[in-house]
Structure formats: structure tokens, C-alpha cells
Amino acid sequence: MQDKEKFITFAPKTEYNHIMNVEYNTIRKFFSWYFSKKTLPYWCVLIIDCSIIIFAGLLASYFEVGGERLASNFWHYLRTWIFTLPFFLIGMRAMHTYSGIIRFSSTIDLVRQAMALIIGFVLVLIVREFMPEGSIIAHATRLTFLKMFLLAALGQWALRILIKYLYEVVQVTNRRTRVVIYGIQEGGISIAQSILKNPHSKYEVAGFISPDGSLKSKYLMGTKVRRAGPHIIQHLRDAKIDTLIVSPIQVDYFREQEELVNKLIKAHIKILMMSSAEEWDPTKPILQEQIKDVDVEDLLPRDKIEVDIKAIGEMLHGKRILITGAAGSIGSEMVHQVAKFKPAHLILIDQAETPMHDVRLYMSRKYPDIPCETIVGSIAAPILMESIFSQYKPEYVFHAAAYKHVPMMENNPGVAITNNVYGTRIIADLAVKYGTKKFVMISTDKAVNPTNVMGCSKRICEIYCQSLNAHQHDTQFITTRFGNVLGSNGSVIPLFREQLKNGGPLTVTHPDIIRYFMLIPEACQLVLEAGTMGKGGEIYIFDMGKPVRIADLAQRMIDLSGAKDVEIKFTGLRDGEKLYEELLNDQEQTIPTIHPKIKIAKVREYPYEQALENEKELFKLALQYDDMAIVKKMKEIVPEYKSQHSKYEVLDSVS
């Protein structure tokens, strides 16, 4: 991977560079020593200000009489300006200019400094008027005194501004964190340059790490390049470096180095990288705000997902698009991604008021030119949904609304059917009635061989949409299945963060439980890609990569947090929970598509009349809130639904 990257020209360390570094370090140490003191004694400040006044007088005399005359009568001129000092001291005393701390000078201090000089200047001129001809100050003209006053003011101001600036620089430098940059190509160089150019940066570049060992033991931008070998942790400890910044170019490669990542975490080396949401532009400098603490999801190995942006743009640009569940984790990201393609109108539906308000503010701030309706309501309200479809006639529908929490739906199967199944039927039927071109439903891997009410409800939604697709020819119904998305509302990572904040323990249901994970933006990109390529009737499944053991995920979050003595507590599988999720039924097969991460699942199809009748009967039972009767009917519709760790297991034994 890194062989494709462009190398930046570097200069080996020379004797000149070494001398310059030594001089710089010496100067920095001096100012660090000075600024570590509380303040200079007042007499030091007084001597400095008096010296500036005398020097300003000599410089004014030089401008008046020239260098040759000043040199031949130097002591005479020196005595003249020393004679004026008491008058300026009166002004300094009146304004207390020597009592302030130079490094903390402000505009008020500069004004007081000028006032002190004005007092001295006026007193000198008054005294000069009464001095006899040939006196010590009689030879200096009023213009010379004015020049001296201006030069003294500029000198004293410049001194205070310089000291204040140096103090701020040294203070920032002393507070800087020594970092090493992982990557020696464009991305790493860009990070280093942004740090060096920012005098207020909180980082100090202490070296580079070469992932492939190239340029080992060389010097890049005056700092040493080390190889990412077995001794790198010890090198970092010896150099007192406890922070590593990953070059944006090297992020994917870095994730794959699990052994190195684990060593860094165990050694409490802080890992920083650019936010996963940021698109690095090599033509623009990297801002310090773009570099953030690494999250556990940033370190999960995964392949980069590429989608056909042009095809997606052609499908969505200038179209009327409706998104249900628009305030949820997936739905809100769908809003963000769809809005990029400048649709003609966005119709957003969700029953969560506050999150929906946040979506509304986001759209008005980020895309004020896109007409956007934010509607608070339930998809299971047929009259409201009819009014929305009749008014806006959406050309594309992305259906993300669903109740998704397994234990909650296990205890409330009537609600699961009313919202997930009946609500989907309402939206799907209206899409056909009002001529929607494509209807993309977001399903879940829990619909495969379901072991819980939630998963089975989504499978029934899939059955209905697929049967409706074959029953008519105006609207294309497409289903997408994928696993858990990282950081979604109610998912395990936010839960672990909250538990860590409270000091633990981190609760995991079973030591061997595993899950597939994908980033929310990546999942939504694949949904859009599937929607583009779908012709109707397909159930697309996404390649979720390698499964992750939840206990390992919890341990890594503990290590990343630096917390000690936080335990992992195993609580037992919840009602309806599997040890692992499947993306395909045992009897299903997959067909590849043009996208390597998207496949089509071959599933058993149902006649529309049967699917519709099943849904109607199920909805009638849901209104009676008879849990056993509802689940019994669900098991008749989806024979592969076998309950686990649930009160509904008794129904399986009866059948």
C-alpha cells in the first residue's frame, strides 16, 4: 500500500543543522529559565527602561548631528542624556511603570509607559527653557528631544511586546506534547508542517515512524526516522514520547497492524488520527482540530468501501426523496448523504421530536437551499402517511424506521408488529399508489434464521416487500441487510463508554458472543449503492468483514481509556439473543454483483395474496396484545423462527 504513496524530499542531518539545533535549544532553555521565575525585580525593569531612554537620546543625536560628530563628542552627549533621566524617573514613578510584569503587558501598560515619557519630556523642555546658554542640555534642540521621546516610546513598547510574545511561545512550547508521526509520506509531512507552522500548537514533532522501514535512521525535517519494528515501544519510552499521530494515508494500513496497535495500547501510548468523517485533501493544510483521540471503532480492521458516486448522484439529484426514521442513527446519516446530491425535495419522517429537531437544524444550517420537510409522526398512522404521500409524491423512499432493540421487542411483540410490520405495509402500499420509482427498505442480519421477535418482524417486512414487487410493475422494492453499525443509538460501544465513565464494570452477555460491525457512513453508502443497482425484488446483503468478539472489544476500550482495575462482567444472554448473527439463511445462496461488498440473497418468495393475508391476521392479533398468540402466528409465517432464551421457546416445542 505505501509503495504507491509519494515520497517527500528530505535532507540528512548536517553539521550546520546540528549547530542550529543546539543554538535553538540553548535560547529556548534560557527563556524557559527566565519565564519560570515569578517576575524580574523592579530595579531590573527600571534599569532596562533607563537604558532604552539613554540609547534613544544617543540615536536622536546621531540623526541630528551625524555619526562623526557624535563619536568625537560621545561622552558629552552621553552626559546630556544621563542628566535628563531624573525627569523621566519622575514620570515613571508617577505612572508606576516599573511595577508591572513585562510578560503580562497589556494595552493599558503601553499607554502608561507613554504617559510616563510624556511627563519626562515636558519636564525636560521646561527645565531647558530656564537653563543658561552653554548648559549641558542647551545644545539639544526641541526636535532632538521629540525624536528621543518617540524612539524611547517605540523601544519600550517593542521590548514589552517582544517579551510578551516570547513568553507565550515558550509557555506553549513547555506545554506541548512530544509526538511521533506514523508515516513518512505526504500525509505525515503535512501533519508535521502544520504543527511546525502553528506557534500555538499543542504538539511538538519528536520523530517519524516508517511503516516499511524505509529511511530508517535517517533524519526527516530535523527529526529521526525509526522503523516500526519490535523495539519501537522501547524507543518511544526512551525518548519520553507517549503520543503517536497516524498519517491519513497510513490509517488503513495501521489498522491492519494488530500486534503493533495492541503493543501501543498496552504501553499507554496515546494514538491520534484524523476523524473518520474527514476527507483529507493533500492540497490543504491539516488543521489541528482534525486530529482527534482514536476511538475503538477507528482501530477495527476493515477494507475501504468504494461506491459509484456518479450513479448515485444521477439517481438522486433533483428528485423528491422521502426518508423514514430520519432522526435515527441510520436515518440521519442517510439524510446527510442524500443531501450531498442536491435532491429537489427532502421529506423526513420520525416520531422522536428532539432528534428530529436536531435534523431540522442541521439541514437549515448545512443545506438551506434544499426544500426540507421535517415531520414528527408514526409510520403506523395511515391517514398522516396518506396525506404526506399525496402532497409530496416522493420518487424515492428510503425506509429506515423500525423498533430495533431485541429485549424490548421480545417483551412487546404487539408494538413490534404495529410499527415494524404494519408501518412498513402502509409505507409500501402508498409508494405503489403514488408512483414511487424505488423503495429501499433497510433490514437486519437478525432477520436470518430469527431467534427473536425483532428479527422475525423484519423478515416479515422483507417477505411483504418482495411479494409486492412481483405483484405490480411501477415501484421497485429493494431490501438491504447488514449487521451492527458502530456507535449507533443503543449499541454496545456507547454503552461501554458510559460504563467506563462510571468506573465499570463493562457488561458483556457472553464470553463467546461475536458481532459484525460497520461504520454508519459506510453502511449508508452501500444502501445507496444497492438502491442504484437494484431492479426490484432483490435482498442485498453486505460484506461486513471479520466478526468481532465483544469481550475483546470491551477489553480494548478499557486499555484505550487508560483505566485500571475495570473488570468485564458477563451477564448471560438476553432474551432472544444469539451468540452470532448470520447474513444468510442455511438454504439461501448468494449471487455476486458488480460491487465486491454487495451480494444478492436467493430467498424463498411468497405469493402476494398470502403475504398480505398473513400481515392482516398478524395485525389483528397485535391489536389484542396477546403475546403468545402474536408470536405463534409469526412462527407460522416464518417457520425458521426458533426462539432462544425466551418465554416463546414453549411454542417451538409444541410445533
Side-chain angles (χ1 to χ4, degrees):
M1 174 183 178
Q2 57 268 42
D3 291 337
K4 299 178 183 179
E5 296 170 356
K6 181 181 176 183
F7 281 86
I8 299 293
T9 306
F10 70 96
K13 194 170 187 182
T14 62
E15 186 66 25
Y16 172 76
N17 288 337
H18 176 71
I19 293 171
M20 292 300 291
N21 284 338
V22 169
E23 290 181 353
Y24 171 75
N25 289 332
T26 302
I27 294 171
R28 201 176 78 178
K29 285 179 181 178
F30 168 76
F31 281 107
S32 295
W33 166 83
Y34 162 60
F35 290 130
S36 67
K37 306 295 180 183
K38 290 184 178 179
T39 179
L40 278 179
Y42 76 90
W43 53 266
C44 287
V45 177
L46 194 59
I47 290 174
I48 292 172
D49 284 344
C50 289
S51 300
I52 291 174
I53 291 172
I54 293 173
F55 179 77
L58 292 172
L59 195 57
S61 297
Y62 169 79
F63 291 142
E64 188 72 20
V65 301
E68 184 176 343
R69 185 173 174 183
L70 175 64
S72 59
N73 297 280
F74 178 77
W75 295 109
H76 174 70
Y77 285 103
L78 180 60
R79 286 194 300 272
T80 297
W81 298 117
I82 291 176
F83 176 82
T84 64
L85 273 182
F87 306 105
F88 288 100
L89 287 172
I90 293 172
M92 294 180 197
R93 174 62 180 172
M95 294 291 108
H96 299 283
T97 57
Y98 50 82
S99 299
I101 302 174
I102 295 181
R103 72 191 74 162
F104 298 134
S105 296
S106 64
T107 305
I108 294 176
D109 295 304
L110 298 184
V111 171
R112 292 169 68 86
Q113 204 72 34
M115 291 300 297
L117 290 172
I118 289 172
I119 291 172
F121 173 66
V122 171
L123 290 175
V124 168
L125 290 183
I126 292 172
V127 170
R128 181 182 178 280
E129 291 302 318
F130 293 97
M131 293 288 286
E133 280 295 329
S135 64
I136 193 170
I137 62 171
H139 65 86
T141 65
R142 294 187 184 89
L143 181 60
T144 304
F145 280 115
L146 179 60
K147 291 178 180 177
M148 183 273 291
F149 161 73
L150 294 174
L151 290 170
L154 290 174
Q156 291 181 356
W157 286 352
L159 173 70
R160 280 154 176 77
I161 293 171
L162 177 63
I163 294 296
K164 183 179 176 67
Y165 172 76
L166 290 174
Y167 171 71
E168 291 176 353
V169 170
V170 170
Q171 285 296 95
V172 169
T173 303
N174 289 341
R175 292 195 303 266
R176 282 178 177 171
T177 301
R178 286 168 54 80
V179 300
V180 64
I181 297 174
Y182 184 91
I184 56 173
Q185 288 78 37
E186 283 181 297
I189 296 295
S190 182
I191 291 174
Q193 288 175 339
S194 70
I195 291 172
L196 291 173
K197 289 177 181 178
N198 182 2
H200 301 291
S201 173
K202 59 184 177 182
Y203 305 118
E204 178 185 355
V205 179
F208 291 82
I209 293 179
S210 171
D212 60 359
S214 59
L215 306 188
K216 176 192 172 185
S217 299
K218 301 292 184 180
Y219 281 79
L220 188 61
M221 300 180 68
T223 59
K224 193 170 184 178
V225 178
R226 296 179 174 87
R227 183 172 67 89
H231 305 296
I232 187 61
I233 302 298
Q234 191 58 48
H235 285 318
L236 296 180
R237 283 174 174 162
D238 293 343
K240 293 183 172 56
I241 299 170
D242 59 5
T243 303
L244 176 142
I245 301 179
V246 182
S247 159
I249 292 179
Q250 293 290 349
V251 166
D252 293 332
Y253 181 77
F254 180 77
R255 285 195 192 106
E256 297 171 3
Q257 311 308 305
E258 291 189 43
E259 184 179 354
L260 173 62
V261 171
N262 289 334
K263 285 182 178 179
L264 290 167
I265 293 172
K266 291 293 183 184
H268 301 293
I269 304 294
K270 194 174 189 179
I271 302 171
L272 305 175
M273 62 173 59
M274 290 179 65
S275 171
S276 56
E278 295 287 348
E279 293 289 338
W280 179 58
D281 184 351
T283 64
K284 297 180 181 178
I286 293 176
L287 302 177
Q288 189 167 285
E289 297 75 33
Q290 293 176 272
I291 302 171
K292 68 176 185 70
D293 288 354
V294 72
D295 290 322
V296 66
E297 50 261 53
D298 296 323
L299 297 179
L300 292 177
R302 60 182 186 272
D303 298 328
K304 186 177 180 181
I305 291 178
E306 303 283 356
V307 295
D308 189 346
I309 296 295
K310 183 179 179 182
I312 295 172
E314 289 175 353
M315 180 180 78
L316 301 179
H317 180 72
K319 304 298 192 302
R320 300 180 303 277
I321 299 169
L322 183 147
I323 300 174
T324 69
S329 304
I330 295 294
S332 60
E333 180 61 29
M334 290 296 297
V335 172
H336 297 176
Q337 302 226 12
V338 169
K340 295 177 183 177
F341 299 103
K342 304 296 182 185
H345 209 136
L346 270 180
I347 305 97
L348 311 178
I349 303 172
D350 203 292
Q351 58 184 343
E353 179 202 14
T354 300
M356 198 62 172
H357 179 64
D358 294 337
V359 173
R360 183 176 191 157
L361 292 177
Y362 171 85
M363 287 300 300
S364 62
R365 182 181 69 254
K366 194 78 180 287
Y367 299 100
D369 55 328
I370 298 178
C372 180
E373 311 301 325
T374 48
I375 302 168
V376 177
S378 170
I379 59 170
I383 296 175
L384 174 62
M385 293 302 108
E386 175 95 35
S387 68
I388 293 170
F389 271 82
S390 64
Q391 180 177 355
Y392 298 109
K393 296 181 176 58
E395 298 170 88
Y396 292 88
V397 172
F398 292 95
H399 178 40
Y403 287 145
K404 66 178 184 177
H405 292 291
V406 170
M408 291 293 292
M409 295 304 99
E410 203 70 7
N411 295 331
N412 300 276
V415 174
I417 296 304
T418 302
N419 187 77
N420 293 5
V421 178
Y422 179 59
T424 296
R425 175 155 63 96
I426 290 173
I427 298 294
D429 289 348
L430 288 171
V432 174
K433 181 177 179 179
Y434 289 97
T436 297
K437 294 179 181 178
K438 284 190 178 184
F439 182 105
V440 181
M441 189 187 84
I442 296 172
S443 188
T444 170
D445 54 3
K446 293 177 177 62
V448 184
N449 289 329
T451 61
N452 52 67
V453 168
M454 196 284 285
C456 185
S457 72
K458 295 298 285 184
R459 175 63 189 130
I460 295 171
C461 294
E462 292 180 355
I463 291 170
Y464 185 77
C465 287
Q466 196 172 35
S467 67
L468 183 56
N469 182 81
H471 182 67
Q472 49 78 51
H473 303 289
D474 296 325
T475 303
Q476 299 173 349
F477 285 86
I478 299 153
T479 298
T480 59
R481 281 182 188 168
F482 51 87
N484 300 278
V485 286
L486 289 164
S488 64
N489 298 330
S491 67
V492 68
I493 290 179
L495 172 63
F496 286 164
R497 285 200 183 104
E498 185 65 25
Q499 291 175 336
L500 272 172
K501 188 190 301 181
N502 297 327
L506 271 58
T507 55
V508 180
T509 56
H510 192 281
D512 298 322
I513 193 168
I514 61 172
R515 288 291 181 266
Y516 293 92
F517 286 103
M518 181 176 283
L519 287 178
I520 295 175
E522 294 174 344
C524 291
Q525 287 172 11
L526 290 178
V527 169
L528 293 175
E529 180 83 345
T532 303
M533 68 173 66
K535 304 301 180 184
E538 304 96 339
I539 294 181
Y540 288 107
I541 61 171
F542 298 163
D543 179 358
M544 300 291 291
K546 297 178 182 178
V548 177
R549 189 168 169 263
I550 302 301
D552 293 340
L553 187 68
Q555 186 59 55
R556 174 159 286 191
M557 289 191 70
I558 293 172
D559 294 337
L560 275 174
S561 72
K564 297 179 180 179
D565 302 324
V566 175
E567 66 172 332
I568 297 174
K569 183 180 179 181
F570 297 103
T571 58
L573 290 173
R574 300 174 298 177
D575 291 350
E577 188 172 40
K578 296 180 182 181
L579 276 179
Y580 61 95
E581 303 292 356
E582 306 156 87
L583 292 175
L584 285 175
N585 185 294
D586 290 340
Q587 297 179 347
E588 291 174 352
Q589 296 177 339
T590 60
I591 300 172
T593 68
I594 57 175
H595 196 289
K597 283 192 169 292
I598 303 177
K599 293 180 174 59
I600 301 174
K602 298 293 291 181
V603 299
R604 180 162 67 102
E605 298 186 19
Y606 292 71
Y608 172 71
E609 292 75 13
Q610 180 186 353
L612 177 61
E613 186 61 30
N614 283 336
E615 287 222 5
K616 287 181 177 180
E617 292 180 17
L618 193 57
F619 181 57
K620 288 179 183 178
L621 292 171
L623 295 179
Q624 299 172 18
Y625 295 98
D626 184 340
D627 291 357
M628 285 297 177
I630 294 169
V631 176
K632 184 175 183 294
K633 182 61 181 178
M634 294 177 74
K635 290 178 180 291
E636 291 175 6
I637 299 172
V638 183
E640 62 269 23
Y641 170 26
K642 304 296 180 184
S643 298
Q644 288 184 11
H645 308 285
S646 171
K647 65 182 181 181
Y648 308 121
E649 288 182 77
V650 63
L651 297 173
D652 296 323
S653 61
V654 170
S655 60

